[in-house]
Amino acid sequence: MPPVLLLLHRQVAPHYGNKAPLSKSLLLVPSGLSILLTLLFQHYQKFFVYNLQAVKEDFQIWRLVCGRTVCLDLKDTFCSSLLIYSFRIFERRYGSRKFSSFLLGSWMLSALFDLLLVEVVQYVFGITISSLPSGFLGPLFALFVPFYCSIPRVQVTQILGHLSITNKTLVYILGLQLLTSGSYIWIVALSGLISGICYNSSVLKVHRVICIPSWVAKVFSWTLEPIFSTAEPSSEIRVGMGATVDIQRQQTMELLDRQIMLSQFAQMRRQRQQQGGMINWNRLFRPLRQRRNANYQDILQSEQDAPPPTEVSEEQVARLMEMGFSRGDALEALRASNNDLNLATNFLLQH
């Protein structure tokens, strides 16, 4: 599939709005606190240590909140910030309330699984783990579950002819980097993945039990959204002021390339619509001249012998409609591709 066309189409799709206040707040507030604790207020770091021994023996439950919010390692802060920036797509797709409900549910479940896994490690291997890496790590690893399941995999390029680089490779590399940053961070990662699977499971129905009430979502939308939301982009994209002349020149060239590609993409869309829509219907149906010359009995016999239409997944139809395609085009493309989402997307973009 042409990656440039898919990226351009995602830029103009309606669900890719610019408002993601929760993701922006999670990107700025914990990162700012982590930098302040590392550079200026190092004597307060002891209050943000994820000490499980203090939780179990001294009943310091508040450490489950403080120790699982702010990273005390700047490398973990950097990787976490990049992952939050990448996962903001879920807030834009599902809304802030559903996204915050997932984060809350996975945050609570991962805290429970942290305690259970530490006890299992101590019982099986005899290793006593007093503390785990601090930070908002459990929900981040939990977000890899919907990222793997719901985000389509699009090949961007290949290395050495066999190794595929996709639009999801960088996110997985960041997760691997975060996974190897500490000795016991694998426990946090495993508990996060388990909590993400449990929250997304249609059998356990955890998402119906742990969710943000509507009135709480309204209160935070009134308070956080004016602060952290981003204004809608104007029709003309402004060129950022780079620190050097080379950066300004590079930004100008990127802007020109983007405008050229957008204009070419819009022209291709108009040409396809003038030819009869996003789908080349002649590839799916026989031309009308052949139908007129065909015998009625042959047509009736072919219709009787034709296999029943393929059942189309409504979830895949919804994904294609989120990309900006109409429902009719999405249905025909999925039927023609036998419910293959990647082939259907490729067909819609190329025809």
Side-chain angles (χ1 to χ4, degrees):
M1 182 191 310
V4 175
L5 292 180
L6 183 59
L7 292 176
L8 288 175
H9 196 277
R10 288 182 173 180
Q11 288 178 356
V12 297
H15 73 282
Y16 281 87
N18 289 275
K19 291 186 177 181
L22 182 59
S23 300
K24 194 172 183 179
S25 61
L26 291 175
L27 180 64
L28 296 178
V29 176
S31 300
L33 290 176
S34 177
I35 294 174
L36 290 176
L37 289 174
T38 304
L39 301 179
L40 300 179
F41 304 103
Q42 297 180 359
H43 53 284
Y44 289 110
Q45 287 187 356
K46 59 182 180 180
F47 297 106
F48 295 90
V49 176
Y50 189 16
N51 193 338
L52 293 178
Q53 186 175 2
V55 174
K56 293 184 294 184
E57 297 179 0
D58 301 333
F59 298 100
Q60 296 180 3
I61 308 299
W62 55 271
R63 289 191 177 274
L64 292 176
V65 179
C66 297
R68 306 181 70 248
T69 306
V70 180
C71 294
L72 298 181
D73 191 346
L74 290 181
K75 293 183 296 183
D76 294 346
T77 302
F78 179 73
C79 292
S80 301
S81 300
L82 293 178
L83 287 175
I84 291 174
Y85 181 79
S86 300
F87 290 146
R88 76 195 188 281
I89 182 178
F90 293 111
E91 184 177 7
R92 295 175 173 178
R93 175 178 293 186
Y94 303 125
S96 298
R97 182 188 175 189
K98 188 174 181 180
F99 181 66
S100 59
S101 298
F102 179 88
L103 293 180
L104 176 63
S106 59
W107 186 79
M108 297 175 63
L109 291 175
S110 60
L112 176 62
F113 289 123
D114 283 345
L115 296 173
L116 292 178
L117 289 176
V118 167
E119 293 295 331
V120 170
V121 170
Q122 184 176 1
Y123 178 79
V124 176
F125 302 102
I127 301 175
T128 302
I129 301 175
S130 59
S131 62
L132 293 176
S134 303
F136 199 69
L137 303 178
L140 281 181
F141 284 106
L143 284 170
F144 276 97
V145 176
F147 182 77
Y148 175 79
C149 298
S150 62
I151 302 300
R153 178 179 176 270
V154 180
Q155 180 176 340
V156 178
T157 185
Q158 284 187 345
I159 299 178
L160 301 178
H162 300 284
L163 183 60
S164 298
I165 303 298
T166 67
N167 58 328
K168 304 167 72 172
T169 302
L170 179 60
V171 179
Y172 290 138
I173 291 176
L174 288 174
L176 183 61
Q177 173 64 32
L178 190 60
L179 181 62
T180 57
S181 62
S183 55
Y184 295 116
I185 198 171
W186 64 270
I187 295 179
V188 180
L190 183 59
S191 64
L193 292 175
I194 295 175
S195 63
I197 295 173
C198 292
Y199 195 88
N200 272 350
S201 175
S202 59
V203 178
L204 300 178
K205 306 294 183 181
V206 180
H207 59 278
R208 295 185 178 181
V209 179
I210 306 177
C211 62
I212 301 295
S214 59
W215 64 271
V216 176
K218 290 180 181 179
V219 170
F220 278 97
S221 66
W222 294 336
T223 55
L224 289 181
E225 188 169 350
I227 300 174
F228 294 103
S229 62
T230 304
E232 295 292 334
S234 59
S235 58
E236 295 182 0
I237 306 173
R238 297 181 179 178
V239 181
M241 293 301 294
T244 63
V245 177
D246 293 335
I247 295 178
Q248 293 179 10
R249 186 182 299 111
Q250 182 180 1
Q251 290 175 344
T252 305
M253 294 301 297
E254 291 177 354
L255 174 61
L256 293 176
D257 292 339
R258 182 179 178 183
Q259 291 177 347
I260 292 173
M261 287 189 294
L262 284 174
S263 62
Q264 292 177 352
F265 181 73
Q267 184 178 2
M268 292 174 59
R269 291 286 298 271
R270 287 194 298 268
Q271 292 176 356
R272 295 302 178 185
Q273 290 176 358
Q274 291 175 0
Q275 295 175 1
M278 288 296 297
I279 297 180
N280 190 353
W281 300 103
N282 291 331
R283 296 196 176 191
L284 300 178
F285 305 101
R286 291 183 301 174
L288 294 177
R289 293 181 179 178
Q290 296 181 7
R291 290 189 177 185
R292 292 173 182 174
N293 297 330
N295 192 0
Y296 175 76
Q297 294 181 355
D298 295 338
I299 296 176
L300 182 61
Q301 183 67 27
S302 63
E303 290 180 354
Q304 292 178 355
D305 297 339
T310 306
E311 295 184 0
V312 178
S313 173
E314 289 295 331
E315 182 180 358
Q316 294 182 351
V317 173
R319 292 184 187 176
L320 291 177
M321 292 178 66
E322 288 175 355
M323 295 181 183
F325 302 111
S326 65
R327 179 176 177 82
D329 291 347
L331 288 172
E332 293 298 337
L334 288 172
R335 288 169 183 168
S337 61
N338 197 18
N339 278 326
D340 193 318
L341 182 61
N342 291 330
L343 291 179
T345 307
N346 186 19
F347 186 82
L348 289 171
L349 289 175
Q350 292 184 352
H351 299 89

